[in-house]
Amino acid sequence: MELKEQINETKKRPEMGQAASPTQVHEEEPRRKIDNYQLYRAAHLPSTGRVEPFLKAFDQALNHELYRFPLRTYLETCAKCGNCILQCHLTCDDASNKSYLPPIRSDLLRKVYKKRYTLSGKLLGRLVGAEDLTEEMIDEMYESFYRCTMCRRCALECPMGVDNSLITRVGRVCLSAADMVPHNFRISVESQLHGPARNTSAIPEKAFVDTVEFLNEEMEEMTGLPIRFPINKKGAEMLYLAPVSDYIMEADTLMGCAMTFYAAGADWTIATGPASDAINYGLFYDDRRLQQILEQLYEAVKALEVKRLVMGECGHATKTQKIFSEYFGGKLPFEITTMFDVTAEYIRTGKIRLDPGRNTELVTLHDPCNLSRMGGISETLRFVLKSAVSNFVEMEPHGEENFCCGGGGGTVGFEEIYDFRMEVAGRKKAEQLRQTGARIVAAPCANCKKQLRELIDYHKLEMEVLGIHDLVAKALVLGSQDEEGPSKRVSS
Amino acid sequence: MTFGQVLMGILLPYTVLALFFVGMTRRILRWAREPQLLKWTLFPVPSSGRKILLTIYQILGLRPLFRYNRGLWLGAWLFHLSLWAILLWHFIRFAGLEASFWMTAEQWIDTVGKWVLLASILYLVIYRIAVGPMRAITGTVEYFNLAVMFALVITGLYLKGNVDPYETGIYLASLITFSPQPFPEDGLWMILHWLLALLLMAMLPYGKMSHLFSQFFLKLRIDWVDWKKKPYARAH
């Protein structure tokens, strides 16, 4: 393509974060491969004119009040001690692919930073690890930044306090500005922001309500009690917000939460429309989308006039609220908390009673990175789970030091790199699971649940994956007549 | 004073000192003042007392490396320890400290410290070359920094015994008091050692060696800011 054409092509490109349609389709493989897997799909992605929008977004990120301090410092002060290699689930056992090494990945952006922002980089170029951004580098970044699950385990033990995950995140934001967005994100966010149903799975409102009614019938059948999901109850104390995918994939978790609310006599509701879906894929690649999704959510929550927004079993959605709610949402007229905190409060205050004797199989806990390492609620997770089961074993390592499931950072939705998630990213987690000898792994995150189920199937482990509230529901003592509990009738 | 003495003794050192202090002050002010809006906490957040302990452990023991990579830790710890010791040795020698405590320290560092520093630099170079992933992540800059350190030690070793510490001490004191005396005429090795020391000082605030200070700001202003103590979003 001639330079003039390239410039014209670039001019057609949107501002950072704006919706865009793919323009130039090119060869089926990226110009730089990093391994035998491939996220790149030529049909959905542009091939040229990406450098300028990428750099513009990078400049914006480097000067953005949110990122300026940490991002610049991370880019400037990595001493290449390699401690992160020993922490990362991709490289701790097998560091043979150098593209997976966290400093090599971060260097993709660091090279560009040095070239544009440092005197030594401008004067000495490659000699000091500085390079001009090229289309080939963008192809490499697209693969590399979507191999990192942004779990932040590397940051936990970095002697310099450097966090490669933020570099990955900003790298993804810049890629997004160059229209390099994984197909899954593109269609899910489009559906959430502009689709008629306003949720990532494009579930129409009627189907959503039908599903909820079906769950109501299920709960009544299981317990003999009139347990219901209240829908759009204005002025309720709490709005329960789960990822909408739970209504398709995780019925037991949802029912567990509903039963918990029922047992505690809570005033709660779920909602249709934007407040039916906790998912915010903007977290993984685009601040503008992140903000838009939060805004439409908060508008819907405000309209319901609830006092508390209760996040369901979802790691990234909870992290989004924790990190960005005040910045993008401003002063909100409601509090934001998690279902784990609510259930723990019910247990502590005696509002609900659990009988751990109803869950006798050996259970282990997978700490979602977004909840334990970034949410600081690993003790709460344990308190709730241990209150509901009688036979518990810790995974090693666990808590804040736990390894990522291998599907974090939104990558669990990428069927294009399923083999990578099973063979590389999930390898460590499969080994951890096997070593526990547990029959059940409790995974309080929709993302982790999917990845763990696929891992268990792929690595032929004798386990099943449940949510914490699946187990809470089984242990819940619902009334004086409830001697055997709902577990007798729940098939799990 | 000859032009060479002015250049080596006045122009270069004051330029480098200016670069060092301006660069370091700007960076430290930036790290301390930049908006702290991103709630990028890493849990568990230690208690205040533990923060102090962890910081001391980090400074004195390079905690994460000790925990996870004893091979690298050995070289890195000895390197940092002996580097600080050698700096102290310079101070004792050129400040003319004569109390027995200082004299003992000087002798120890003189006998052991300099060789430990040299050995640890070589160890780190070999480690970076020999261990596959380390070789992959090590760039020209890392080797260059180690090469500068190595050359500093080699020139320093040669100078020991060939330089009058009293005269050098007077010169250094005159620099600090902004009344510069002529640069000591101790030949090419002294000039090389001096230039390398100035180069190191000039690079420190602008490159990755600034981790000396940045790590604490990153811990205190990012990782250890416990946003959990506030609700995720307060009700208003």
Side-chain angles (χ1 to χ4, degrees):
Chain A
M1 185 184 271
E2 294 297 318
L3 181 63
K4 197 174 167 186
E5 288 177 70
Q6 283 188 27
I7 293 168
N8 287 335
E9 196 63 39
T10 306
K11 282 179 182 166
K12 288 184 215 162
R13 295 218 166 278
E15 291 298 308
M16 175 183 172
Q18 280 186 346
S21 58
T23 50
Q24 193 75 18
V25 174
H26 69 103
E27 59 268 31
E28 290 301 315
E29 289 197 345
R31 278 163 282 193
R32 271 191 208 167
K33 284 179 76 73
I34 63 166
D35 54 18
N36 294 324
Y37 313 100
Q38 189 175 313
L39 177 62
Y40 183 89
R41 290 292 182 267
H44 305 130
L45 299 166
S47 65
T48 56
R50 301 171 299 180
V51 170
E52 198 177 312
F54 184 107
L55 291 175
K56 190 176 168 193
F58 188 35
D59 290 344
Q60 284 175 352
L62 283 165
N63 293 305
H64 196 288
E65 60 180 3
L66 268 181
Y67 306 115
R68 196 166 57 216
F69 164 51
L71 181 61
R72 282 176 184 256
T73 318
Y74 296 156
L75 289 169
E76 287 163 356
T77 58
C78 171
K80 303 288 170 68
C81 72
N83 213 32
C84 47
I85 296 168
L86 303 170
Q87 313 305 323
C88 174
H89 55 286
L90 301 185
T91 56
C92 60
D93 290 332
D94 177 6
S96 56
N97 184 333
K98 71 177 208 175
S99 292
Y100 295 159
L101 306 177
I104 297 279
R105 181 183 305 108
S106 295
D107 272 359
L108 293 172
L109 211 54
R110 195 171 277 122
K111 285 173 189 172
V112 181
Y113 173 77
K114 282 187 176 176
K115 187 71 181 179
R116 286 175 76 76
Y117 284 90
T118 68
L119 185 64
S120 61
K122 284 174 185 161
L123 293 175
L124 301 170
R126 282 173 188 260
L127 203 60
V128 291
E131 277 183 49
D132 279 318
L133 182 67
T134 62
E135 299 286 355
E136 287 76 15
M137 280 168 74
I138 289 178
D139 277 2
E140 186 180 354
M141 286 180 184
Y142 185 66
E143 294 299 325
S144 189
F145 288 140
Y146 281 102
R147 296 292 188 280
C148 170
T149 58
M150 304 195 290
C151 76
R152 300 188 71 203
R153 195 169 192 276
C154 58
L156 201 60
E157 292 294 347
C158 174
M160 309 303 136
V162 170
D163 184 349
N164 292 293
S165 85
L166 189 73
I167 296 176
T168 290
R169 184 168 186 276
V170 170
R172 289 185 182 189
V173 168
C174 298
L175 285 169
S176 162
D179 207 18
M180 296 293 286
V181 178
H183 192 55
N184 179 48
F185 285 167
R186 201 187 291 272
I187 55 171
S188 299
V189 170
E190 177 64 23
S191 170
Q192 190 172 22
L193 284 174
H194 307 294
R198 288 287 197 274
N199 63 63
T200 48
S201 297
I203 303 172
E205 185 168 328
K206 184 169 184 319
F208 180 83
V209 173
D210 285 349
T211 304
V212 170
E213 282 171 3
F214 171 74
L215 296 179
N216 289 340
E217 287 165 18
E218 278 284 298
M219 289 190 290
E220 185 153 4
E221 199 179 308
M222 281 191 294
T223 64
L225 296 166
I227 305 173
R228 297 281 180 273
F229 282 88
I231 302 179
N232 296 329
K233 185 182 168 192
K234 203 167 178 177
E237 166 78 17
M238 287 175 283
L239 170 66
Y240 173 74
L241 181 62
V244 79
S245 54
D246 275 9
Y247 290 86
I248 306 167
M249 309 278 294
E250 308 295 344
D252 287 339
T253 303
L254 292 174
M255 290 191 291
C257 295
M259 287 155 72
T260 304
F261 282 130
Y262 175 86
D267 177 19
W268 71 294
T269 186
I270 59 168
T272 54
S276 65
D277 193 358
I279 291 172
N280 192 329
Y281 287 141
L283 175 76
F284 300 130
Y285 76 104
D286 189 333
D287 275 359
R288 193 178 150 126
R289 301 288 198 304
L290 172 97
Q291 183 174 5
Q292 287 172 341
I293 295 166
L294 282 181
E295 282 171 353
Q296 79 166 18
L297 169 68
Y298 293 153
E299 202 177 313
V301 179
K302 284 176 191 168
L304 279 169
E305 296 174 8
V306 295
K307 296 179 185 64
R308 294 166 90 186
L309 178 62
V310 180
M311 302 305 295
E313 294 201 0
C314 185
H316 91 275
T318 305
K319 174 182 169 183
T320 306
Q321 298 300 336
K322 185 183 93 67
I323 296 176
F324 294 107
S325 61
E326 280 181 351
Y327 188 78
F328 287 126
K331 291 184 176 180
L332 298 172
F334 50 86
E335 283 187 9
I336 304 174
T337 186
T338 72
M339 190 63 206
F340 310 105
D341 290 300
V342 170
T343 304
E345 184 188 317
Y346 289 160
I347 297 169
R348 287 194 185 102
T349 55
K351 283 192 175 175
I352 62 169
R353 199 154 61 83
L354 300 179
D355 175 8
R358 293 178 187 172
N359 289 309
T360 54
E361 285 192 292
L362 186 59
V363 178
T364 189
L365 172 65
H366 163 75
D367 285 90
C369 311
N370 289 325
L371 294 181
S372 289
R373 194 153 41 245
M374 286 170 262
I377 58 168
S378 69
E379 284 175 23
T380 309
L381 299 178
R382 275 165 181 72
F383 172 70
V384 175
L385 182 59
K386 286 181 182 176
S387 302
V389 305
S390 56
N391 204 358
F392 177 77
V393 61
E394 284 286 12
M395 209 176 276
E396 291 304 332
H398 59 265
E400 292 84 359
E401 293 187 2
N402 192 29
F403 281 100
C404 172
C405 62
T411 63
V412 76
F414 304 155
E415 291 311 310
E416 300 94 322
I417 52 169
Y418 167 82
D419 289 341
F420 168 80
R421 285 193 285 112
M422 296 300 109
E423 293 163 5
V424 182
R427 184 176 52 209
K428 190 73 189 174
K429 182 52 63 183
E431 183 191 316
Q432 272 187 297
L433 290 174
R434 187 179 285 116
Q435 282 174 356
T436 62
R439 274 283 300 123
I440 293 169
V441 53
C445 165
N447 185 321
C448 302
K449 280 174 186 151
K450 179 174 184 286
Q451 167 74 359
L452 292 178
R453 283 199 187 105
E454 290 176 355
L455 273 180
I456 285 169
D457 187 41
Y458 187 89
H459 291 274
K460 300 187 174 26
L461 304 176
E462 295 284 318
M463 304 181 96
E464 68 171 323
V465 181
L466 296 176
I468 285 186
H469 284 88
D470 306 30
L471 291 158
V472 167
K474 283 183 172 183
L476 203 55
V477 179
L478 283 165
S480 54
Q481 289 86 20
D482 178 35
E483 288 169 3
E484 292 171 332
S487 59
K488 180 117 176 150
R489 293 173 291 269
V490 175
S491 57
S492 55
Chain B
M1 276 195 273
T2 64
F3 174 71
Q5 280 181 321
V6 172
L7 181 69
M8 294 301 295
I10 300 173
L11 288 180
L12 270 178
Y14 280 121
T15 308
V16 166
L17 279 173
L19 278 173
F20 176 80
F21 282 109
V22 170
M24 213 65 253
T25 308
R26 277 186 59 186
R27 278 209 158 178
I28 286 175
L29 286 178
R30 203 183 84 202
W31 293 327
R33 286 178 177 173
E34 285 282 17
Q36 198 179 353
L37 298 164
L38 189 65
K39 299 178 172 184
W40 213 239
T41 310
L42 262 179
F43 291 94
V45 175
S47 62
S48 301
R50 195 167 156 72
K51 279 178 191 170
I52 294 169
L53 283 177
L54 284 172
T55 305
I56 293 170
Y57 189 0
Q58 165 66 11
I59 294 168
L60 298 180
L62 306 183
R63 190 190 73 93
L65 289 183
F66 181 73
R67 234 185 128 187
Y68 291 100
N69 189 351
R70 295 278 164 89
L72 180 59
W73 172 82
L74 182 69
W77 185 71
L78 289 174
F79 168 75
H80 284 89
L81 189 73
S82 52
L83 184 64
W84 286 111
I86 292 292
L87 285 174
L88 178 67
W89 180 88
H90 281 75
F91 179 73
I92 297 170
R93 198 157 176 82
F94 297 126
L97 302 178
E98 288 176 348
S100 64
F101 170 77
W102 294 117
M103 294 309 288
T104 312
E106 192 216 335
Q107 279 167 10
W108 267 96
I109 298 167
D110 196 24
T111 316
V112 183
K114 62 190 182 189
W115 299 113
V116 173
L117 181 58
L118 191 68
S120 63
I121 293 169
L122 287 171
Y123 180 93
L124 289 174
V125 172
I126 292 166
Y127 194 92
R128 284 191 178 275
I129 293 170
V131 179
M134 291 301 288
R135 188 169 59 247
I137 62 172
T138 305
T140 323
V141 176
E142 283 74 34
Y143 289 125
F144 179 76
N145 289 347
L146 285 167
V148 170
M149 294 283 186
F150 184 77
L152 251 176
V153 181
I154 293 293
T155 50
L157 284 174
Y158 180 83
L159 284 175
K160 175 76 184 18
N162 294 326
V163 168
D164 178 359
Y166 180 73
E167 197 186 327
T168 312
I170 288 177
Y171 167 70
L172 290 174
S174 75
L175 261 188
I176 294 165
T177 52
F178 296 100
S179 52
Q181 299 287 313
F183 186 69
E185 291 183 8
D186 286 315
L188 185 65
W189 287 93
M190 179 66 180
I191 292 173
L192 277 177
H193 191 69
W194 184 234
L195 285 176
L196 286 165
L198 291 177
L199 176 65
L200 193 66
M201 204 173 192
M203 289 194 309
L204 204 140
Y206 301 97
K208 60 185 60 188
M209 281 187 280
S210 59
H211 69 244
L212 175 67
F213 300 108
S214 66
Q215 55 182 311
F216 305 113
F217 288 95
L218 288 175
K219 286 285 174 200
L220 290 169
R221 301 195 74 224
I222 303 280
D223 292 356
W224 290 346
V225 179
D226 191 355
W227 298 105
K228 193 163 141 284
K229 286 188 175 165
K230 298 198 295 182
Y232 293 140
R234 286 157 298 183
H236 295 279

